[in-house]
Amino acid sequence: MKDYVKDYFDRHAHAWVEAAYDEEVRFPVGAERVRLAIEGVAPAMRDGARLVDLGCGGGQLCVHAAKLGWRAVGVDNAPGMIEEARANAGDLELDWIIASYDESGLPSGELDAVTALGLVEYLPDDDGFFAEAARLLRPGGRLAVSCRNRLYNLLSANEYTAEETELPRLLAELRIALARAQPGELHALAESVAASADELERAAQADRDVPPPELHDHRRAFQRGRRQHTPRELDEAAAPHGLRAVEVLALHPHPLPPALEPLAPRTYNALARAWQRALERSPAGLAFSTAFVAVYERA
Ligand SMILES: C[S@@+](CC[C@H](N)C(=O)[O-])C[C@H]1O[C@@H](n2cnc3c(N)ncnc32)[C@H](O)[C@@H]1O
């Protein structure tokens, strides 16, 4: 059977990487996702520790890891992506493997960390993924995996809300999460928005002066077919493989419904940036974010 995902990422590798890591108008989702994953696995790492990034794309996470003194290998089944990664890595000492995430040939139980950003949404199920991550990790090693946040269907007020078949179940999970929110998290949000006043003003002015660019998004090619998870769904898939949930980090907040982004994209995304760090460790972040990074520890 033709592998449409592999074919797509192979042919559009450069454009995809450019869109994901473009920070001029959009929310810098690629860079923020890498930062959260690195922070999530860091407690399992020391100088010279080893990490594999599954579905490594243009290699940004591996490059970041190498700069921290970690040894990193990137695995991706799209040759075009590995080409991007090699070019991006320059002289850094990194290893790249062109293979499906579960056919890397890496030995069992030796890695300190496994990361997988933007991968599981393209896989048919979670079980094979968690089995492979658990196989690769040493006991005590950490896994950071990013997911599209199904809980956000409750508030996105778009076609995902209209088509969601399990709203009451999602609402129950979100209400339990929100009950754990702390006052300090709201204070931090207010302080972050206040500290971003200049940036917000510049963004609004630019949106007034320069017509908003069209927001081309290559990732939308698979938008409706990509899987989503709630944090609980992901934890339940990880647990049978001896992976203990450590933390959930909210990624890419939307202070306003996404339908409004094209009206004033610079303003919209400056607001989102002000929300990111303030709410990424708060359950409140999960209500408003399109994605999350979940962190696990291998028993
Ligand atoms: C959304 S991109 C994310 C790239 C990178 N992790 C990042 O965050 O910038 C998904 C990547 O997963 C790769 N991929 C998809 N299915 C895969 C599979 N079965 N095995 C290995 N890589 C895969 C794609 O080629 C693509 O590079």
Side-chain angles (χ1 to χ4, degrees):
M1 200 181 78
K2 190 166 165 54
D3 186 337
Y4 287 101
V5 172
K6 178 174 164 181
D7 192 49
Y8 173 82
F9 281 109
D10 190 28
R11 283 193 293 120
H12 299 284
H14 188 70
W16 188 90
V17 171
E18 227 174 37
Y21 289 87
D22 158 34
E23 306 193 357
E24 260 187 53
V25 174
R26 284 167 196 288
F27 183 84
V29 64
E32 290 293 285
R33 187 159 69 173
V34 167
R35 176 179 64 80
L36 292 179
I38 292 276
E39 287 178 16
V41 299
M45 307 301 272
R46 62 202 177 289
D47 209 29
R50 287 186 299 171
L51 168 151
V52 63
D53 187 29
L54 302 175
C56 66
Q60 281 76 10
L61 188 142
C62 290
V63 165
H64 196 118
K67 289 180 180 166
L68 292 172
W70 304 347
R71 287 155 58 196
V73 48
V75 178
D76 203 291
N77 66 352
M81 279 297 192
I82 295 293
E83 217 174 288
E84 287 292 314
R86 283 188 204 283
N88 181 24
D91 293 339
L92 288 170
E93 246 186 71
L94 287 162
D95 288 319
W96 308 107
I97 299 174
I98 301 176
S100 181
Y101 78 90
D102 51 352
E103 293 174 353
S104 65
L106 292 167
S108 302
E110 292 192 358
L111 289 161
D112 301 290
V114 173
T115 51
L117 306 185
L119 174 66
V120 294
E121 60 213 58
Y122 294 103
L123 303 179
D125 60 50
D126 301 320
D127 204 54
F129 168 76
F130 282 115
E132 179 63 1
R135 182 189 76 77
L136 291 166
L137 284 171
R138 65 162 170 82
R142 283 198 171 200
L143 166 67
V145 46
S146 83
C147 277
R148 302 177 70 227
N149 179 18
R150 191 173 174 189
L151 291 182
Y152 184 57
N153 294 354
L154 287 163
L155 293 186
S156 55
N158 60 9
E159 65 275 22
Y160 289 97
T161 317
E163 291 169 13
E164 176 57 64
T165 54
E166 296 189 84
L167 287 171
R169 181 172 67 80
L170 301 190
L171 185 58
E173 181 174 340
L174 184 60
R175 288 176 76 174
I176 290 170
L178 289 177
R180 293 196 300 266
Q182 299 295 318
E185 295 163 3
L186 282 105
H187 307 156
L189 176 61
E191 281 158 14
S192 178
V193 173
S196 307
D198 291 347
E199 191 195 340
L200 287 165
E201 209 173 327
R202 273 195 303 276
Q205 194 57 50
D207 275 334
R208 271 191 218 100
D209 294 347
V210 185
E214 231 182 283
L215 295 173
H216 288 301
D217 188 345
H218 287 268
R219 288 160 293 172
R220 288 194 202 286
F222 295 102
Q223 193 80 342
R224 308 306 283 278
R226 287 155 63 202
R227 295 188 310 131
Q228 300 178 312
H229 295 78
T230 73
R232 186 185 290 171
E233 286 168 353
L234 202 68
D235 292 353
E236 285 173 0
H241 300 281
L243 293 162
R244 180 182 70 82
V246 176
E247 60 180 342
V248 178
L249 306 166
L251 169 66
H252 198 175
H254 286 60
L256 295 162
L260 302 180
E261 182 181 4
L263 300 181
R266 301 173 186 88
T267 311
Y268 187 96
N269 287 306
L271 270 175
R273 279 195 290 275
W275 279 42
Q276 175 64 49
R277 284 193 190 231
L279 289 189
E280 65 198 20
R281 286 184 163 76
S282 165
L286 284 175
F288 294 96
S289 294
T290 49
F292 62 87
V293 174
V295 182
Y296 298 95
E297 192 173 272
R298 176 83 168 94

